[in-house]
Each structure stands twice: as structure tokens, then as C-alpha cells.
Amino acid sequence: MQYQDLIDACQQEWHTYTEHDFVQQLATGTLDKQSFLHYLKQDFLFLKHYVRAYALAIYKANSLEDMRQALPTVHALLNSEIAHHVAWCEQWGISEQDMEQEPEDFGTVAYTRFVLDAGMSGDLVSLYSALAPCSIGYAAIGRQLAHQSTTVWEGNPYQTWLKLYSSDDFQTHVAHGAAHFNKLLADIDLNSQKGQQLIDTFRTATRMEIAFWQQGLNQSGAQL
Amino acid sequence: MQYQDLIDACQQEWHTYTEHDFVQQLATGTLDKQSFLHYLKQDFLFLKHYVRAYALAIYKANSLEDMRQALPTVHALLNSEIAHHVAWCEQWGISEQDMEQEPEDFGTVAYTRFVLDAGMSGDLVSLYSALAPCSIGYAAIGRQLAHQSTTVWEGNPYQTWLKLYSSDDFQTHVAHGAAHFNKLLADIDLNSQKGQQLIDTFRTATRMEIAFWQQGLNQSGAQL
Amino acid sequence: MQYQDLIDACQQEWHTYTEHDFVQQLATGTLDKQSFLHYLKQDFLFLKHYVRAYALAIYKANSLEDMRQALPTVHALLNSEIAHHVAWCEQWGISEQDMEQEPEDFGTVAYTRFVLDAGMSGDLVSLYSALAPCSIGYAAIGRQLAHQSTTVWEGNPYQTWLKLYSSDDFQTHVAHGAAHFNKLLADIDLNSQKGQQLIDTFRTATRMEIAFWQQGLNQSGAQL
Amino acid sequence: MQYQDLIDACQQEWHTYTEHDFVQQLATGTLDKQSFLHYLKQDFLFLKHYVRAYALAIYKANSLEDMRQALPTVHALLNSEIAHHVAWCEQWGISEQDMEQEPEDFGTVAYTRFVLDAGMSGDLVSLYSALAPCSIGYAAIGRQLAHQSTTVWEGNPYQTWLKLYSSDDFQTHVAHGAAHFNKLLADIDLNSQKGQQLIDTFRTATRMEIAFWQQGLNQSGAQL
């Protein structure tokens, strides 16, 4: 099987996730600022556990090659992406201390701990199946928003976000990881017990991504 | 420290959890049937991961005594409580197949995977700190509902639930586990790094219990 | 694939393990008493981690059926087999306290922790592949010793050991577990990445069984 | 407690480890070449699991600070130290392929999997207690050999090894990690349950280091 088989098996959840109102409102610049700020703060808390999940991929690796595949993500997250996220949030008036003190929202807990538990209880390919909706999904969203006519670039307060996920850098990074994931999936039969378990994992992780968008959207009109 | 220190450190969350509207409406028999049915189905999915968490306690144990402390819970869950839950649900018109096919709701994922990850990333006492809000909280709720004047027993459709958690059997079982938990906590200083981490774990688990009640309540008026 | 494929892929190690001098000397009753006593004490320490490994199988299970498959072993080990082992050791003059104070020998550490790590880093079928040499191997040894002409039954000080592992009860218990293992293996291709990893796991676990026999034999002539 | 308390509690094992004949023979240059080659090959296999253990420390971390503490070790191991080890082994006539095909010896399995299991079943400080004998011990050995009069530098075939572990770079790196370990230990009471468990973990890990030296020494006179 290939990662596209996972997407094909979860069409409905995949569309709800990649075409979510939160995403569409980012593209048009109409997203409520409180929704975006909530998302930014929760994304900081998410990133900590995302690092843990890629570290787990090193622990779970069977070869030096697999270890070296996961390391750059751990390294980039801890040494630049989190700092970049903090700097960006400061532009929105959110300090690192604000984010550290922010309680994890339910969707954040649900998504991050699901990935970690699916990875710990399964093997390396189970872990990547739980991680895939995030990386592959954000890349798909980035491409889609870059090409759809309704996306507003000029004056869009969320332009930085749109540029980040549609950038060649990000697309290439995800494509590289997806090719590695395909190698791990290559000789697993879609209809085997393992293949079906991977679909379940991918589907639930995709559903948790939907919950993550939704919890942002639910802040619309809320007071900080 | 003792488990009461954990409760004292999280007073606000503890009250929101143990005095939640879902619980009060169970006590008065006014809870919407759809809310209760949703709760029953999600509780079945919850129980599977609850078994996994107690099995993890055996894996994490340092002594035969600690292993033997966790085993009866695993045994009771797998050999009688889940079957009992299934039989009870059938009385409400929900078959085992219905429950197996029910997707895990976000609060169910959040709570169960949080417990498993807190337990896996920490040690045995971390795991029990994540599990404690469930056992100790349900016992506290059971005692409270049994003694408060507003509880309606006669004709209350949720009488079985009220009787279960206020029963001497349940109270004794929880008291036994809580005494063991206190032994593990005994020489940990509340103000140490570990003590503070256990408070964080207990608080988040309590917050996830609140989300679990709330997701039931949110079904009020919903169509099955 | 089936479990026999794992044995076939590791013919040399399998024979060294199942036909080890330790085993042959048990069969003829010529094994040095110090070797046997060392084995008994280390086996007690082994059993604690063996319980942990079967508890891990419950944590790693994907279904209630898989959980219920592992539970009886955890239950039997904690509630009767360890007690039985202790009682038996007392007949050889070894108290439970002696065994608790005995340092784990290198082969005991190597074997038990290998199983636990292979199980934790892989999935449920990885764990069972690490556990299989013990259960399936002891059953094979029991059958073999029961049928070979060189086995001495009368006056053999190790008769209890021989009877235990050649007993119908033990053989049936292992056959039941092996059938379950075969179901988990059924749709994994022997030549897939996963199939090859399972062979590696099974081979290393078999090599650790050899080390476990050997460390017993090495005590020959040693002072207690 | 501080890490010195762990050493003090395990005086006998610590001396056997840090003053082992393998080490003394390295210092005098009299170590059998086969012993050293066996050690080099097993050390390559050891390093893979050592990376996994430091990745586990990232997974187990409670804060970004703790994650960032472990990352440089993972990074250095995967991106330079293993390559350096491979290059060095080539000078001794051992190719990377030789090392990949070398079966893990029992002492290598015992030590690496013990560390990983102690870390997984305990918390972050448990993991570091299992890792400490390696880093802190090698630094102690390096200092000791640099200062003792019996060490032969000129013409010693193992000079590179001696220089590596007595180097300022290595000593500083270990001192930095040891200071972090002391912060994690700071408010744990030596006589608490946790303190005693950490001593057990440290002692067993030290014993496994002894086994690792010994398995090298046992190759003396062996044919490659």
C-alpha cells in the first residue's frame, strides 16, 4: 500500500479536514482574530508533543537510516521552528509565557496523545500513520489554497501562514517524508490486519485534526 | 504527599468535575436520554483503554506486590465489568455491535490517551496520578449523590448507575486502591519537581473528566 | 507466514537452544545441582519480567479478544505459577528471600529486557515473536524429552521439571497460544520488511535462551 | 540526592567497572587485539541503542529545556560519532558491513536493553540513572588513566581511545550532562522509594558495563 490508499480509505474525513471552514477563512482572511490567536497558542503546545512523537520515531527505528530520517524534524522543531513560532506569536501580542501558561484545550490533548499512544502501542509505521495527516494534510492544504481562486493574498492578515505552508521548502520537506513513509508501507497489504489498523489510525488522527480546527473556530467572538 | 493533596491543589477543577450538571441531572433523573446513551457508548470505548492503562501498571511495577495490586482491576474489567456494561446497554437498546461501531468522541480520545501517555512517559506513580480522578472521583460522586437531599431514587431511570457508584463494594474497592496510591505518594514532597508534575497530571486528567461529562451533555436533544 | 517459518529461518539457533547440554543433562539427571539451583533462582527473576511482557501484550492489544488472550497468562503467573515456583524452590532449600536477593545474572537481564524492548519498540506481533522461543521452545523440549530413549525418569532429581513441560496441560496451553500467534502472523509475508524483522527478533530471543541455559551450566562446580 | 550518592551506594561495582582489567590493559597497551576488535564491533551495535535511549529522553521530557538537553547527544551520535567510529574501525580492518553483520553479543544485549527498559518503565530520571554509568564512568576512567603513572602513551596502539576519553571536550560534555542529572536528582531523597529504585537501576547498569568489558576480555586469544 501507499499513503494515498490511506487518504482514499478516509475520503469523507479527509475532505472535512482539508477543506475545513477554519482553513477557508484563513484563505479569505475572514477568520476571527480570537480564533487564530487560540490556534496559535494551542499550536505551541501541540509542537512540544510533536517533537516527542518524532523522538519516538528514533526510538522505534530499526536502522540507522530510519533514525536519520526522523532526526532533522526533531532538530528543526527544537532549534528553529518553535523559536520561529514564538517570534511570530509575539507579533500577535502573545508572549512565550502566555503560551506556557495556556491550558491545553481538549482537541490539543486528544490529537497529540492519540498520536503518541498509536505510535507507542504500534510499530514505526503505525506511528507515521498517526503523524501523516498533519504533515501530508498541511501540504495538501497549502497547495490547494495556493491554487484556488478564492484565496486572498493582499492585505490578508494570515498571509504568513498561507505562504509558509504553500512554500516550496515546506512542500519539499513533506514530499521527502512521504516518500519514506511509502517505503515503509510498500509491502503491507491494504487488506491485511495491519493495513486495516493503519487505516483506523489514519482516520482517527484525521478526525482529531478536524477537532483541532474546530476548537479554533469555536473561539470566534470569544474574549481572550 | 497524599492523594488528598492532589485534590486540594486542583479545587476548582475537582468541583467542576464532581458536581457537573451531567452528574446532578443523573441524580435527579432529569438527564436527557440521548445524553446518557451517548455516555454509555463512549464509556464502553473508554473501558478498553482503561484496561490497557491497568495492564501498563503491571508493566511499570517494581515489585510483585505492585503487580498484584493492579491485576484484579484488569481481571474484573475484562472478565465481568465490560460484559456487565454490555448487558446493561442492551437494556437501553444498544447492542455490543453498536458500541464497537461507534466512533470515539473527542473527549473519549483526549481522556484515555492522556492517561496512557502520562503513564508511559512517567513512572508508576505518574500513571496512578492520571488514573486517580476516575476512580477516586467516581467514588466521591457516588457518596455525594447518596447523601444529598436532591437525589431522586424512586422512578429514576438512572438508579442503577447511582446504586453502582454509591455501593459499598465500589467504595471499598476504590478505598483499597487509594490506600495503595497513598503508599506510593508517601515520601514524595508536594513541592518537589515530581510532586508538581503529579499535580499537573492530576489536574489535566480531571479536566478531561469534565470534557467527558460535557460531551455527554452536549448530546441533549440530539438524534441518535 | 506461520510460526514454523520463524523456526525454519533460525534452524541452527533453534537446535542449539532446544538440544542444549543443560536440557540433555536434565533429561539424564546428570545436571550439576549448582547449575540447577542457579537456574531456579534466575528463573524466579525471569518470571517477574515475563509477567510484565504479557501485561504489555494487553497494553498493545487492538481488540478485547487480543486482551483476553494474554490475560490468563498474566493471571496464572501472578496467582499460581510464581507461588508454585517458590514452593518448589523451598524443596531445594532456596527461600523466596534468597531469590529476591539474588542479583540478576547477565543472561537473565539480556533475555528479559530484549523481549520487553522488542515488544515495546514493535507492535503486538513483534512482542509475541520475542516471547515465542520461550513458550514454543519449552513445549518442543518437553515433547522431545518425553519421547527420546535417553531420558531417565526413575530417580531423576529433575523429574518434576520434565513432567511439567511434557504435561498435556502445558502442551495444550502452548498450542492455544501458538494458534493465536499464527492468526496474527497469517497475512504477513515472510519476505516483507516486517517478516524479516520478526525473524531477527525470533532469532535474537532464541540466542538469549541459549545464553540462559549456558549461564546455568557455567555454574557447574561453583559454590553457592 | 546527587549522582555521587549513586556511586557511593555502589562502591564495589563502581570500582570493578572503572578499574577493570580491560581498561588497565588498554592503558598499558597490552590488551589482546582480538579483545579490542570485538569491543569495537560491539560498541558500534551498542551506539545504535544508545541513540534510541537519548531519543527516549526527548520523548520522556517534561519541558523544552529537558528536550534540548538530550538533543545534542542524539545529533552528535547520529551525525558524527557513529561515522567517526566507522572510520576508526576501518583503520583496524573492520568495515561498516562487518559491524552490521556482527551478531549482538549477550553483554551488548543485556546492557542496551536494560537501559531502554529501565528508562521506559520509569521516568526521565530513571532513564538518566541507567545511562549515567556509561557517560560518568567513561569520564572517570578517562581522567584516571590520564593521571595514573602506569599508563603508556607512546607506542600504545590504543592511544586514540585513551585520548578521546581523557580529552577536555569529552570531560566537559559529560560534566554538562552530569550537572543536568544533578538538577533532576536534587529534590529526591536518597532514602525514599524512588531514591532506592534509582540506586538499583544505577547498580544494575554498572554491572552490565562490567559484563561489557568482560565479554571483550573473553575474546583474548580468540580467532576473528
Side-chain angles (χ1 to χ4, degrees):
Chain A
M1 63 192 290
Q2 297 283 279
Y3 77 75
Q4 188 61 43
D5 293 313
L6 295 169
I7 296 174
D8 291 347
C10 309
Q11 277 300 315
Q12 191 188 333
E13 292 87 353
W14 190 254
H15 285 300
T16 308
Y17 160 43
T18 56
E19 300 168 11
H20 197 274
D21 277 355
F22 188 95
V23 173
Q24 295 304 329
Q25 294 178 19
L26 274 172
T28 53
T30 56
L31 182 68
D32 187 282
K33 190 185 163 186
Q34 302 309 333
S35 288
F36 190 66
L37 294 181
H38 187 75
Y39 165 79
L40 280 185
K41 288 185 287 185
Q42 292 298 315
D43 209 35
F44 173 78
L45 301 171
F46 170 87
L47 284 171
K48 286 188 181 183
H49 297 285
Y50 201 59
V51 175
R52 294 178 59 214
Y54 275 94
L56 189 60
I58 299 178
Y59 164 81
K60 292 245 158 185
N62 282 296
S63 65
L64 287 173
E65 187 196 343
D66 281 344
M67 291 181 195
R68 288 180 176 133
Q69 177 65 33
L71 177 64
T73 303
V74 177
H75 198 261
L77 285 165
L78 277 177
N79 285 345
S80 62
E81 293 188 29
I82 287 177
H84 179 259
H85 191 87
V86 169
W88 193 34
C89 289
E90 274 169 12
Q91 295 178 17
W92 288 89
I94 307 170
S95 70
E96 183 163 0
Q97 205 185 350
D98 291 340
M99 291 189 287
E100 286 284 2
Q101 289 175 354
E102 175 86 358
E104 283 186 276
D105 207 343
F106 306 115
T108 312
V109 174
Y111 186 23
T112 56
R113 303 321 194 279
F114 174 77
V115 168
L116 288 161
D117 180 57
M120 189 59 91
S121 58
D123 58 9
L124 184 63
V125 71
S126 310
L127 174 56
Y128 278 120
S129 297
L131 281 165
C134 183
S135 56
I136 294 175
Y138 268 59
I141 289 167
R143 280 197 306 278
Q144 188 175 296
L145 299 188
H147 292 103
Q148 73 184 21
S149 58
T150 51
T151 299
V152 174
W153 293 90
E154 219 161 315
N156 187 329
Y158 311 119
Q159 202 192 77
T160 304
W161 194 96
L162 298 175
K163 282 190 175 165
L164 174 61
Y165 295 111
S166 59
S167 70
D168 286 348
D169 267 11
F170 183 75
Q171 294 289 330
T172 304
H173 174 75
V174 172
H176 184 65
H180 177 250
F181 184 34
N182 270 346
K183 280 172 65 179
L184 296 175
L185 289 169
D187 51 14
I188 298 173
D189 191 286
L190 180 68
N191 298 310
S192 66
Q193 299 167 64
K194 185 74 182 184
Q196 295 298 303
Q197 286 163 12
L198 298 181
I199 289 172
D200 283 348
T201 298
F202 187 87
R203 175 179 285 116
T204 304
T206 303
R207 289 176 56 233
M208 297 305 118
E209 284 280 12
I210 299 169
F212 200 82
W213 289 141
Q214 192 59 45
Q215 80 179 0
L217 217 53
N218 291 347
Q219 298 297 313
S220 169
Q223 298 304 313
L224 259 202
Chain B
M1 62 193 290
Q2 297 282 279
Y3 77 77
Q4 187 61 42
D5 294 313
L6 296 169
I7 296 175
D8 291 348
C10 309
Q11 277 301 314
Q12 191 187 333
E13 293 86 353
W14 190 254
H15 285 300
T16 308
Y17 161 42
T18 57
E19 299 168 10
H20 197 275
D21 277 354
F22 188 95
V23 173
Q24 295 304 328
Q25 294 178 19
L26 273 173
T28 53
T30 56
L31 182 67
D32 188 282
K33 190 185 163 185
Q34 301 309 332
S35 288
F36 190 66
L37 294 182
H38 187 75
Y39 165 78
L40 280 186
K41 287 186 288 186
Q42 292 297 316
D43 208 35
F44 172 79
L45 301 171
F46 169 87
L47 285 171
K48 285 187 180 183
H49 296 285
Y50 200 58
V51 175
R52 294 179 58 215
Y54 275 94
L56 189 60
I58 299 178
Y59 164 81
K60 291 246 159 185
N62 282 296
S63 65
L64 287 173
E65 186 197 343
D66 281 344
M67 291 181 195
R68 288 181 176 130
Q69 177 65 32
L71 177 63
T73 303
V74 177
H75 199 261
L77 285 164
L78 277 177
N79 286 345
S80 60
E81 293 187 29
I82 288 177
H84 179 258
H85 191 88
V86 169
W88 193 36
C89 289
E90 275 169 11
Q91 296 178 16
W92 288 88
I94 307 169
S95 70
E96 182 163 0
Q97 205 186 350
D98 290 342
M99 292 190 287
E100 285 285 2
Q101 290 175 355
E102 175 86 359
E104 283 187 276
D105 207 342
F106 306 115
T108 312
V109 174
Y111 185 23
T112 55
R113 302 324 194 277
F114 173 77
V115 168
L116 288 161
D117 180 58
M120 189 60 91
S121 58
D123 58 9
L124 184 63
V125 71
S126 311
L127 174 57
Y128 278 120
S129 298
L131 282 165
C134 183
S135 55
I136 294 174
Y138 269 58
I141 290 166
R143 279 198 306 278
Q144 188 175 295
L145 299 188
H147 293 103
Q148 73 184 22
S149 59
T150 50
T151 299
V152 174
W153 293 90
E154 219 161 316
N156 188 330
Y158 311 119
Q159 201 192 76
T160 305
W161 193 96
L162 298 175
K163 282 190 176 166
L164 174 62
Y165 295 111
S166 59
S167 71
D168 286 349
D169 266 11
F170 183 75
Q171 295 288 331
T172 303
H173 174 75
V174 172
H176 183 65
H180 178 251
F181 184 34
N182 270 346
K183 281 172 64 179
L184 295 175
L185 289 170
D187 52 14
I188 298 173
D189 191 286
L190 179 68
N191 296 311
S192 67
Q193 299 167 65
K194 186 74 183 183
Q196 295 297 303
Q197 286 163 12
L198 297 181
I199 289 173
D200 283 348
T201 298
F202 187 86
R203 174 178 285 115
T204 304
T206 303
R207 289 176 57 233
M208 297 304 119
E209 284 279 12
I210 299 168
F212 201 81
W213 290 141
Q214 192 59 45
Q215 79 179 1
L217 216 53
N218 291 346
Q219 299 298 312
S220 169
Q223 300 302 314
L224 259 201
Chain C
M1 62 192 290
Q2 298 283 280
Y3 77 76
Q4 187 59 44
D5 294 314
L6 295 169
I7 296 174
D8 292 347
C10 309
Q11 277 301 313
Q12 193 189 329
E13 293 86 354
W14 191 253
H15 285 300
T16 307
Y17 160 43
T18 56
E19 298 167 12
H20 198 275
D21 277 353
F22 187 95
V23 172
Q24 295 304 328
Q25 294 178 19
L26 273 173
T28 53
T30 57
L31 183 68
D32 188 281
K33 191 185 162 185
Q34 300 310 333
S35 288
F36 190 66
L37 294 181
H38 187 75
Y39 165 78
L40 280 186
K41 287 185 287 185
Q42 292 298 316
D43 209 35
F44 173 79
L45 302 171
F46 169 87
L47 284 171
K48 285 188 181 182
H49 297 285
Y50 201 59
V51 175
R52 294 178 58 216
Y54 275 94
L56 190 59
I58 299 178
Y59 165 81
K60 290 247 158 185
N62 281 297
S63 65
L64 288 173
E65 186 197 343
D66 281 345
M67 292 182 195
R68 288 179 177 133
Q69 177 64 33
L71 177 63
T73 302
V74 177
H75 199 262
L77 285 165
L78 277 177
N79 285 345
S80 62
E81 293 188 29
I82 287 177
H84 179 258
H85 191 87
V86 169
W88 194 36
C89 289
E90 275 170 11
Q91 296 178 16
W92 287 88
I94 308 169
S95 70
E96 182 163 0
Q97 206 185 348
D98 291 340
M99 292 190 285
E100 284 285 2
Q101 289 175 355
E102 175 86 359
E104 283 187 278
D105 207 343
F106 306 115
T108 312
V109 174
Y111 186 22
T112 55
R113 302 322 194 280
F114 173 77
V115 168
L116 288 161
D117 180 58
M120 190 59 92
S121 58
D123 57 9
L124 184 64
V125 72
S126 311
L127 174 56
Y128 278 119
S129 298
L131 282 165
C134 184
S135 55
I136 294 175
Y138 267 59
I141 289 166
R143 279 197 308 278
Q144 189 175 295
L145 299 187
H147 292 102
Q148 73 184 21
S149 58
T150 50
T151 299
V152 174
W153 294 89
E154 219 161 317
N156 188 328
Y158 311 118
Q159 200 192 78
T160 305
W161 194 96
L162 298 174
K163 281 190 176 166
L164 174 62
Y165 295 111
S166 59
S167 71
D168 285 350
D169 266 11
F170 183 75
Q171 294 289 330
T172 304
H173 174 74
V174 171
H176 184 65
H180 178 251
F181 184 33
N182 270 345
K183 280 171 66 178
L184 296 175
L185 290 169
D187 52 14
I188 298 173
D189 191 286
L190 180 68
N191 298 310
S192 66
Q193 300 168 63
K194 185 75 183 182
Q196 294 298 304
Q197 287 163 11
L198 298 182
I199 289 172
D200 283 348
T201 298
F202 186 87
R203 174 178 287 116
T204 303
T206 302
R207 289 177 56 233
M208 298 304 119
E209 284 279 12
I210 298 168
F212 200 81
W213 290 141
Q214 192 58 46
Q215 79 178 2
L217 216 53
N218 290 347
Q219 298 298 313
S220 170
Q223 299 303 314
L224 259 201
Chain D
M1 62 193 290
Q2 297 282 279
Y3 77 77
Q4 187 60 44
D5 294 314
L6 295 170
I7 296 174
D8 292 346
C10 309
Q11 277 301 314
Q12 191 188 331
E13 293 86 353
W14 190 254
H15 285 300
T16 307
Y17 161 43
T18 56
E19 299 167 12
H20 197 276
D21 277 354
F22 187 95
V23 172
Q24 295 304 328
Q25 295 179 18
L26 273 173
T28 53
T30 56
L31 183 67
D32 187 281
K33 191 185 161 185
Q34 301 310 331
S35 288
F36 190 66
L37 294 182
H38 187 75
Y39 165 78
L40 280 186
K41 287 185 287 185
Q42 292 298 316
D43 209 35
F44 173 79
L45 301 171
F46 169 86
L47 285 171
K48 285 188 182 183
H49 296 286
Y50 201 58
V51 175
R52 294 178 59 215
Y54 275 94
L56 189 60
I58 300 177
Y59 164 80
K60 290 245 159 187
N62 281 297
S63 65
L64 287 173
E65 186 197 343
D66 281 344
M67 291 182 195
R68 287 179 177 133
Q69 176 65 32
L71 177 64
T73 303
V74 177
H75 199 261
L77 285 165
L78 277 177
N79 286 346
S80 61
E81 293 188 30
I82 287 176
H84 179 258
H85 191 88
V86 168
W88 193 35
C89 289
E90 274 170 11
Q91 295 178 18
W92 289 87
I94 307 169
S95 70
E96 182 162 1
Q97 206 185 348
D98 291 340
M99 292 190 286
E100 285 284 1
Q101 289 174 356
E102 175 87 358
E104 283 186 277
D105 207 344
F106 306 116
T108 312
V109 174
Y111 186 22
T112 55
R113 302 323 193 280
F114 174 77
V115 169
L116 288 161
D117 180 57
M120 190 59 92
S121 58
D123 58 9
L124 185 63
V125 72
S126 311
L127 173 57
Y128 278 120
S129 298
L131 281 165
C134 183
S135 56
I136 294 175
Y138 268 59
I141 290 167
R143 279 196 308 278
Q144 188 176 294
L145 298 188
H147 293 102
Q148 74 185 20
S149 58
T150 50
T151 299
V152 174
W153 293 90
E154 220 161 316
N156 187 329
Y158 311 118
Q159 200 191 77
T160 306
W161 194 95
L162 298 175
K163 282 190 176 165
L164 174 61
Y165 295 112
S166 59
S167 70
D168 286 349
D169 267 12
F170 183 74
Q171 294 289 330
T172 305
H173 174 74
V174 171
H176 183 64
H180 177 251
F181 184 33
N182 269 346
K183 280 172 66 178
L184 296 176
L185 290 169
D187 52 13
I188 297 173
D189 191 286
L190 180 68
N191 297 309
S192 67
Q193 300 168 64
K194 185 75 184 181
Q196 295 297 303
Q197 287 162 12
L198 297 182
I199 289 173
D200 283 347
T201 298
F202 186 86
R203 174 178 286 115
T204 303
T206 302
R207 290 176 56 233
M208 297 304 118
E209 284 280 11
I210 298 169
F212 200 81
W213 290 141
Q214 192 58 46
Q215 79 178 1
L217 217 53
N218 290 347
Q219 298 297 314
S220 171
Q223 299 303 315
L224 257 201

